[in-house]
Amino acid sequence: NHTRISEFILVGFKFHPGSQLFLSVLFSTMYIVTVVGNVCMILIIRMDSNLHTPMYFFLENLSTLDICYSSVITPRATLAFLLGRRSISYNGCASQMFFFSLFGTTEAFFLAVMAFDRFTAICNPLLYQVIMSKRLCVLMVMGSYLSGCINCTIQTGFTFSLSFCEPGEINHFFCDVAAVIHASCSDTLVNELVMLAVCGSIIVGTALVVFISYGYIIITIIQMPSAESRHKAFSTCSSHMMTICLFFGTVFFMYAGPGATSSPNKSNTISIFYTIVIPMLNPFIYTLRNKEVKVSLKKQLKR
């Protein structure tokens, strides 16, 4: 019979007992680095008045988002590896899916907003302060979260309207939408079509904003008269370009790559990269590739 089961079993990783401690230490270390790195980035931006610009306002919000994004997945996965307990309650699974979808979708919109910010700064420098007003920046951040909230409400609502049968095994290490749908014993055609339509429109829409913005940016940089001005313009967006390549590259490979969805182990490995590794790498990318952040960091360390 189709029933509302009380818990799910996450079977995304089949590991040997001897590797449990190693995996728990690895995941907990990555999580600590993620939190410390992003908190440091937030403090650097807040403590240096020279960084109180739209670009760093978005970067501060991205760091906050990365902490939340990683916190939804990593601590729970670490406990599973350490204790060997892979069960998660029905409500816990729904909550994890809701917040994962919220922060993941919001990050995609954040990256699109940051691409538009760099487009405005490089292609319309004289109007940059006028266009990127504080009010518009706040509205774009709020709009990103609102878009994420709409998506996660739709995805979670549709997914958990399904019926699930025992043993309720999810072939993933967290409650991803696709993995939970496949664990259902209901007809999931409508859910899969909704997931494809909503997620596809979000990924394609935000990616188009990014590609169009950077298309104009590259053309503008090439047309600059001096090598110094080209280098300066490129340095202001190189960190963001690297973050975009990592995030959208793994997302496209996860959902559009050949055999990605049909291979659970492959999907799990890719998921680790964009849910745990990228939030950890972002503060290092923006610190090591950004001259202003490095200068500010040195000032704070001297103090």
Side-chain angles (χ1 to χ4, degrees):
N1 295 326
H2 294 193
T3 58
R4 289 284 188 180
I5 62 177
S6 60
E7 66 178 16
F8 294 98
I9 307 298
L10 301 171
V11 293
F13 283 116
K14 295 177 173 62
F15 47 81
H16 299 290
S19 65
Q20 290 180 221
L21 179 61
F22 170 76
L23 289 171
S24 64
V25 171
L26 177 63
F27 272 54
S28 59
T29 301
M30 294 171 70
Y31 180 65
I32 291 171
V33 172
T34 299
V35 173
V36 173
N38 282 287
V39 167
C40 288
M41 179 64 70
I42 294 169
L43 292 176
I44 290 170
I45 294 171
R46 290 192 176 184
M47 294 173 67
D48 192 338
S49 58
N50 293 324
L51 301 182
H52 294 175
T53 63
M55 183 177 79
Y56 293 104
F57 171 74
F58 294 130
L59 181 55
E60 180 184 347
N61 279 276
L62 179 65
S63 294
T64 304
L65 185 66
D66 278 340
I67 294 173
C68 298
Y69 190 39
S70 183
S71 297
V72 173
I73 305 298
T74 315
R76 178 66 183 75
T78 302
L79 287 176
F81 291 135
L82 182 62
L83 304 177
R85 293 183 59 186
R86 304 188 187 185
S87 61
I88 183 172
S89 67
Y90 182 89
N91 292 332
C93 188
S95 299
Q96 188 181 62
M97 179 186 294
F98 180 89
F99 287 107
F100 168 74
S101 299
L102 169 63
F103 297 131
T105 305
T106 304
E107 178 141 353
F109 279 95
F110 262 22
L111 294 176
V113 166
M114 293 172 74
F116 175 75
D117 171 71
R118 292 299 83 207
F119 159 76
T120 308
I122 294 174
C123 300
N124 297 286
L126 299 179
L127 298 175
Y128 179 66
Q129 294 298 332
V130 177
I131 297 174
M132 300 302 296
S133 63
K134 185 175 181 179
R135 181 175 179 273
L136 180 61
C137 292
V138 172
L139 287 175
M140 286 196 290
V141 169
M142 292 175 62
S144 298
Y145 275 105
L146 178 61
S147 300
C149 190
I150 292 172
N151 178 53
C152 69
T153 301
I154 293 173
Q155 297 289 0
T156 307
F158 267 82
T159 301
F160 283 88
S161 66
L162 297 171
S163 296
F164 298 92
C165 309
E166 297 290 353
E169 292 186 347
I170 298 175
N171 202 349
H172 216 319
F173 69 99
F174 68 94
C175 292
D176 192 15
V177 178
V180 176
I181 287 177
H182 290 155
S184 172
C185 49
S186 302
D187 183 5
T188 62
L189 177 60
V190 174
N191 294 73
E192 292 177 10
L193 291 175
V194 169
M195 183 183 70
L196 179 64
V198 176
C199 293
S201 61
I202 290 172
I203 294 173
V204 172
T206 52
L208 277 176
V209 173
V210 170
F211 293 150
I212 292 172
S213 297
Y214 274 100
Y216 280 105
I217 288 171
I218 292 171
I219 293 172
T220 303
I221 291 176
I222 292 174
Q223 293 175 346
M224 289 180 176
S226 66
E228 182 181 354
S229 59
R230 289 195 295 270
H231 176 75
K232 184 178 180 180
F234 182 76
S235 65
T236 62
C237 57
S238 58
S239 301
H240 184 239
M241 289 176 66
M242 190 176 297
T243 303
I244 285 172
C245 290
L246 287 172
F247 183 82
F248 281 102
T250 52
V251 168
F252 274 118
F253 191 70
M254 174 71 179
Y255 295 103
T261 56
S262 61
S263 175
N265 291 332
K266 188 176 181 180
S267 298
N268 286 326
T269 304
I270 299 169
S271 297
I272 287 178
F273 197 78
Y274 73 81
T275 59
I276 299 174
V277 177
I278 291 178
M280 179 184 69
L281 292 179
N282 279 348
F284 294 100
I285 293 173
Y286 281 100
T287 301
L288 298 176
R289 300 284 300 177
N290 191 301
K291 184 178 179 180
E292 290 178 322
V293 174
K294 285 191 288 187
V295 170
S296 179
L297 179 60
K298 290 178 181 178
K299 287 181 181 179
Q300 301 304 328
L301 291 175
K302 287 180 180 179
R303 290 179 182 178

